[in-house]
Amino acid sequence: MPIQFDQAQRLFHLQTPRSSYVIQLIKDGHPAHVYWGPKLRSAAGPGMLTLRERASFSPNPYPDDRTISFDTLSQEYPAYGTSDFRHPAYQVKLANGSTITELVYESHRVYAGKPGLEGLPATYAETDEEAETLELTLVDRVAGLRAVLNYTVFRDHDAIARSVRFVNESAAPVELLRALSASVDFKHDRYDLVHLYGAWANERSMARETLRPGAKAIESRRGSSSHQHNPFVALLSPDATEQAGEVYGFSLVYSGSFAAQAEVDQFRTARVSIGINPFDFGWRLEPGASFQTPEAVLVYSAEGLGGMSRTYHRLYRTRLCRGEFRDRTRPVLVNNWEATYFDFNADKIASIAAEAQKLGIELFVLDDGWFGHRDDDTTSLGDWSVDRNKLPDGLDDLAKRVNGYGLQFGLWFEPEMVSPDSDLYRAHPDWCLHVEGRRRTRGRNQLILDLSRDDVCDYLIETIGGVLASAPIAYVKWDMNRNMSEIGSALLPPERQRETAHRYMLGLYRVLESITSRFPHVLFESCSGGGGRFDPGMLHYMPQTWTSDNSDAVCRLKIQYGTSLVYPISTMGAHVSAVPNHQVGRMTSLKTRADVAMSGNFGYELDLTKFSDEEKEEVKRQVAQYKELRQLVQFGDLYRLRNPFEGNDTAWMVVSEDRSEAFVAFFRVLAQPNEPLDWLRLSGLDAEADYEVVETGERFGGDQLMYAGLPIPQLHGDFQSVTCRLRKIQ
């Protein structure tokens, strides 16, 4: 059984295919964290948990046993105020004004399968045989507080999904001040911390730094998971590489403000925690009410960062993403945004679609500017009716014109926003997030609708649903182009105002669940100024995300490499755009732009009618090549070979599950004179098999390709790329 309970030692042993996680109940039932690492045959026996007196300034809750201090104990879900001075996992303000609580074991339950989380996205099991779940119930009888810690172990993945549900069993309201999803205490601090940081158009850069005494916080206070940080951190052994070494990953399935923290204490032990950001958060629990935290997914890998990534990729691709497109290859598309911006009409759109048909493209996406009086970004968000000046015969006619060229039709929305210059805002000025008497700060000339309100959510479900039902729409790009300010709701009472941001997320998830369920044949892609909300929460409803508004091929090497630390290729939108690039002004070849974009869901974002005949022939070849590759690229195993954050080269490859074929991509940013000869060592192949390079017919042993390497041809000029396809020789 993946989850075992040793009654004599009061010890829980959770086992994934290659890892173990151990919890032990001590004294009055305090859950101690004992172990997380390579799989153990048994967790029983002496030495797993060592208790001894450490320091006179570490208080002892049990006077007769000075070996126990919560200040030094490795805990499973720590509180503050009863002798632990580190950051707690939760904090509750009780009716008497105090914040002292002490949760201890009451009961547990182990069962097959995995429960859903009410109102929240989460990983799932399709059958009860795929997973096993431990419910560990802790209580504070003085406070009347119950916490149910959920742990799910997956049969096929080295991952553990954790969440917590709080229940107020007292006779008076209490307020949750902090409710993190997971906390893990490590026995030492000899780790590096890896996290993803950035900004708009420069998302998910990779940072690696040595843990130091004190606390390192990775967080968003923006009301979304944000461009600036991603809801993910990992601890690595100092010698860990891409291919080897111990890695502990923490990923939060949530799209709002989050906090992930690594704290090193006085005894040089490390505590990592992750969950909803406690900053400006509060949740009032009435008697009998409950609160569910988002899910944190913990992954252990003994095969370096690459092993951790492939676990997240497989789990998120198959047991987080849902719907028809989870296992379907994605269409090659063209988006008109950088081709026309707001300046288009039906004939212009049709001309791009006509050219797309000749090139083998399968989907046309109409971006911003099709509704209201939307000639720039100052107006009309919220007024989701067709601009008849641009599209005199409406969406249905345009979609059918595009369909007539053999292409599917897709549409851009930004449903969560409202323009002050809109009919919706004039009719409902209280429908936006705001605090009475304060300014309503605008971002991109817009405000945010208050999705903590049921009436606003119902309006979006009805209105967006009506548009999608009005025409043959096969794809939706769902955008969100600003972060939260003046976070308040006109409908919430004063004591619940700090709930607004999380209630917004619950409202958004309700809207997404309703619309995506109603339109299962539509491929939904999320977007937030590109990658400002690229997180596991959104992937539960929309199986792909526009990776970044920065479409420059060289910038995308780092953006897509960093994104792949957690997220599979099948979730990344990647397009070829025009040169000079609109974000950075760089000139790169059409080949290099396509080679980068092929490591994602491939498409174009430019005016196809402006291509020369030679360029059109090149695009035809690219589209045909990607169609041959996309099953492999979107659903194979990714191996990162060279890190763009560490040098001039970038390389990665994708290998099919059965190791019968692979796609290899190599990129060199700047040319250098008289470079040495170079070989690219591959990964993930069958060492006992031989492989043929499809493009040249050359044959190599799998062992030769992985241990000696594939010769890199001499490259001339900046921003060069080489790709090849390998096929196992039967």
Side-chain angles (χ1 to χ4, degrees):
M1 296 290 288
I3 300 176
Q4 303 164 11
F5 179 60
D6 184 323
Q7 180 68 49
Q9 297 194 56
R10 299 200 298 172
L11 185 145
F12 298 93
H13 185 187
L14 287 64
Q15 294 179 314
T16 75
R18 292 182 293 181
S19 70
S20 287
Y21 189 102
V22 183
I23 306 164
Q24 188 168 9
L25 304 174
I26 67 166
K27 214 60 175 177
D28 293 331
H30 294 281
H33 177 75
V34 175
Y35 176 84
W36 182 25
K39 189 171 184 177
L40 305 173
R41 288 183 291 112
S42 170
M48 291 295 291
L49 179 65
T50 301
L51 300 175
R52 67 170 181 257
E53 184 177 359
R54 297 296 299 275
S56 60
F57 269 75
S58 294
N60 306 109
Y62 299 100
D64 60 337
D65 188 352
R66 295 182 64 176
T67 68
I68 296 178
S69 173
F70 299 139
D71 192 33
T72 62
L73 181 68
S74 292
Q75 297 183 71
E76 192 58 30
Y77 199 67
Y80 176 80
T82 58
S83 78
D84 189 346
F85 300 103
R86 296 165 290 181
H87 279 85
Y90 75 99
Q91 192 171 31
V92 181
K93 183 179 179 181
L94 305 176
N96 63 8
S98 74
T99 56
I100 308 303
T101 57
E102 189 170 337
L103 292 168
V104 296
Y105 172 82
E106 181 190 65
S107 63
H108 73 273
R109 182 167 73 102
V110 176
Y111 56 91
K114 183 181 188 299
L117 302 185
E118 184 177 358
L120 287 166
T123 56
Y124 58 89
E126 289 193 331
T127 67
D128 285 348
E129 291 72 28
E130 289 184 359
E132 195 166 65
T133 297
L134 165 66
E135 284 187 2
L136 185 58
T137 299
L138 311 178
V139 296
D140 181 331
R141 301 200 184 282
V142 175
L145 181 68
R146 179 181 299 269
V148 182
L149 280 57
N150 269 281
Y151 302 77
T152 294
V153 176
F154 294 91
R155 180 191 63 192
D156 301 323
H157 307 278
D158 287 306
I160 298 173
R162 288 185 59 176
S163 67
V164 184
R165 181 170 55 89
F166 290 93
V167 183
N168 179 13
E169 297 182 336
S170 72
V174 301
E175 184 179 8
L176 277 176
L177 303 176
R178 174 188 293 255
L180 301 185
S181 300
S183 179
V184 176
D185 286 347
F186 292 83
K187 289 182 168 62
H188 59 81
D189 68 343
R190 297 185 296 276
Y191 295 106
D192 290 347
L193 176 71
V194 165
H195 59 95
L196 301 173
Y197 71 95
W200 172 80
N202 191 27
E203 298 91 343
R204 289 172 300 286
S205 293
M206 181 177 165
R208 178 171 180 168
E209 52 196 280
T210 301
L211 280 189
R212 305 288 185 191
K216 172 72 174 183
I218 309 301
E219 60 180 334
S220 169
R221 297 182 295 274
R222 296 169 176 266
S224 70
S225 49
S226 84
H227 298 86
Q228 287 68 27
H229 293 286
N230 199 261
F232 159 82
V233 294
L235 289 193
L236 290 73
S237 58
D239 61 346
T241 65
E242 182 66 30
Q243 297 85 15
E246 290 194 307
V247 180
Y248 301 85
F250 297 76
S251 175
L252 187 67
V253 186
Y254 189 61
S255 309
S257 297
F258 74 93
Q261 182 168 271
E263 180 182 12
V264 176
D265 71 359
Q266 59 186 327
F267 300 109
R268 303 303 294 262
T269 65
R271 170 173 290 176
V272 177
S273 56
I274 193 167
I276 295 174
N277 199 327
F279 178 83
D280 203 36
F281 167 81
W283 195 272
R284 182 180 172 89
L285 278 179
E286 298 291 343
S290 65
F291 179 85
Q292 175 66 56
T293 73
E295 180 173 273
V297 178
L298 281 56
V299 167
Y300 170 79
S301 167
E303 298 175 349
L305 281 168
M308 178 204 72
S309 295
R310 286 185 288 278
T311 295
Y312 277 124
H313 294 175
R314 294 172 190 138
L315 180 65
Y316 283 178
R317 188 176 67 238
T318 64
R319 292 299 181 267
L320 176 67
C321 296
R322 302 176 299 165
E324 291 185 10
F325 291 92
R326 186 192 73 178
D327 303 321
R328 283 174 54 184
T329 56
R330 314 292 163 74
V332 179
L333 65 83
V334 61
N335 182 299
N336 74 297
W337 178 240
E338 290 191 20
T340 66
Y341 293 104
F342 295 103
D343 185 17
F344 63 84
N345 56 32
D347 289 340
K348 177 61 179 177
I349 297 303
S351 70
I352 297 175
E355 202 60 53
Q357 178 194 36
K358 300 174 187 175
L359 304 176
I361 293 171
E362 301 160 310
L363 167 68
F364 180 90
V365 180
L366 178 61
D367 212 283
D368 196 355
W370 59 269
F371 55 93
H373 305 287
R374 185 77 166 174
D375 296 324
D376 55 38
D377 67 2
T378 65
T379 182
S380 298
L381 288 172
D383 298 342
W384 299 107
S385 57
V386 177
D387 181 351
R388 294 285 175 168
N389 291 319
K390 294 179 181 177
L391 308 177
D393 297 315
L395 272 181
D396 184 57
D397 175 76
L398 178 62
K400 289 176 178 175
R401 289 178 69 180
V402 170
N403 291 163
Y405 291 113
L407 277 72
Q408 295 178 306
F409 180 75
L411 197 61
W412 178 96
F413 289 93
E414 194 172 1
E416 300 165 63
M417 302 294 148
V418 63
S419 301
D421 180 12
S422 68
D423 293 339
L424 180 65
Y425 186 77
R426 285 184 282 271
H428 300 284
D430 62 329
W431 274 18
C432 69
L433 293 176
H434 70 282
V435 175
E436 198 61 39
R438 299 292 180 184
R439 76 165 64 90
R440 302 186 180 192
T441 301
R442 301 184 188 184
R444 204 183 181 227
N445 300 301
Q446 60 199 46
L447 301 171
I448 304 178
L449 288 172
D450 181 2
L451 269 64
S452 74
R453 299 174 56 138
D454 286 341
D455 53 356
V456 174
C457 293
D458 291 341
Y459 168 81
L460 290 182
I461 291 170
E462 179 182 356
T463 304
I464 303 303
V467 174
L468 294 180
S470 72
I473 296 169
Y475 167 101
V476 165
K477 182 179 179 181
W478 184 293
D479 212 342
M480 189 277 284
N481 280 312
R482 66 154 296 183
N483 293 139
M484 294 181 184
S485 60
E486 292 86 40
I487 303 175
S489 174
L491 288 190
L492 291 175
E495 65 272 17
R496 291 193 178 273
Q497 285 296 319
R498 284 162 59 96
E499 301 175 9
T500 304
H502 182 60
R503 286 186 178 274
Y504 178 101
M505 295 314 308
L506 297 177
L508 173 62
Y509 292 146
R510 179 169 79 86
V511 170
L512 296 179
E513 182 70 29
S514 176
I515 291 176
T516 58
S517 297
R518 181 180 170 189
F519 298 96
H521 305 307
V522 173
L523 171 58
F524 287 86
E525 178 178 89
S526 68
C527 177
S528 176
R533 206 164 59 185
F534 202 133
D535 60 66
M538 293 303 293
L539 293 179
H540 190 65
Y541 306 96
M542 303 183 177
Q544 62 188 57
T545 300
W546 178 227
T547 314
S548 177
D549 278 349
N550 187 345
S551 55
D552 171 66
V554 174
C555 292
R556 274 299 188 105
L557 293 174
K558 290 183 176 179
I559 293 170
Q560 291 176 206
Y561 188 100
T563 302
S564 76
L565 218 59
V566 186
Y567 305 102
I569 285 179
S570 63
T571 66
M572 296 187 217
H575 297 172
V576 175
S577 60
V579 291
N581 176 264
H582 290 197
Q583 290 79 47
V584 299
R586 197 184 333 262
M587 298 288 293
T588 53
S589 70
L590 186 56
K591 177 184 185 304
T592 296
R593 282 176 276 158
D595 286 346
V596 175
M598 283 190 191
S599 298
N601 295 317
F602 186 63
Y604 293 83
E605 190 150 339
L606 38 67
D607 191 343
L608 299 174
T609 66
K610 294 181 179 180
F611 273 144
S612 66
D613 289 342
E614 182 181 359
E615 288 172 324
K616 290 175 183 177
E617 288 303 313
E618 173 64 17
V619 170
K620 278 185 186 178
R621 288 193 293 271
Q622 292 171 357
V623 171
Q625 178 187 4
Y626 186 73
K627 288 178 179 178
E628 291 182 359
L629 286 172
R630 62 182 162 188
Q631 179 73 35
L632 168 63
V633 167
Q634 292 174 11
F635 304 116
D637 289 329
L638 176 70
Y639 292 84
R640 294 180 295 264
L641 306 177
R642 294 200 181 173
N643 186 340
F645 298 100
E646 296 177 351
N648 191 42
D649 298 342
T650 303
W652 50 59
M653 63 185 292
V654 186
V655 183
S656 63
E657 186 175 357
D658 64 2
R659 298 187 293 175
S660 65
E661 59 177 332
F663 174 67
V664 183
F666 174 86
F667 308 92
R668 177 157 293 158
V669 176
L670 297 178
Q672 298 179 20
N674 202 22
E675 286 191 317
L677 298 178
D678 198 2
W679 285 262
L680 183 65
R681 295 175 66 175
L682 307 186
S683 292
L685 302 176
D686 182 351
E688 301 300 320
D690 291 329
Y691 289 85
E692 180 180 71
V693 178
V694 173
E695 293 80 2
T696 65
E698 295 175 287
R699 296 190 172 194
F700 300 89
D703 52 353
Q704 181 183 353
L705 291 169
M706 292 193 291
Y707 310 144
L710 185 68
I712 297 174
Q714 188 173 5
L715 301 173
H716 297 280
D718 295 338
F719 322 133
Q720 296 297 308
S721 63
V722 179
T723 67
C724 70
R725 189 172 179 182
L726 303 174
R727 187 173 291 135
K728 184 186 287 189
I729 300 170
Q730 302 299 329

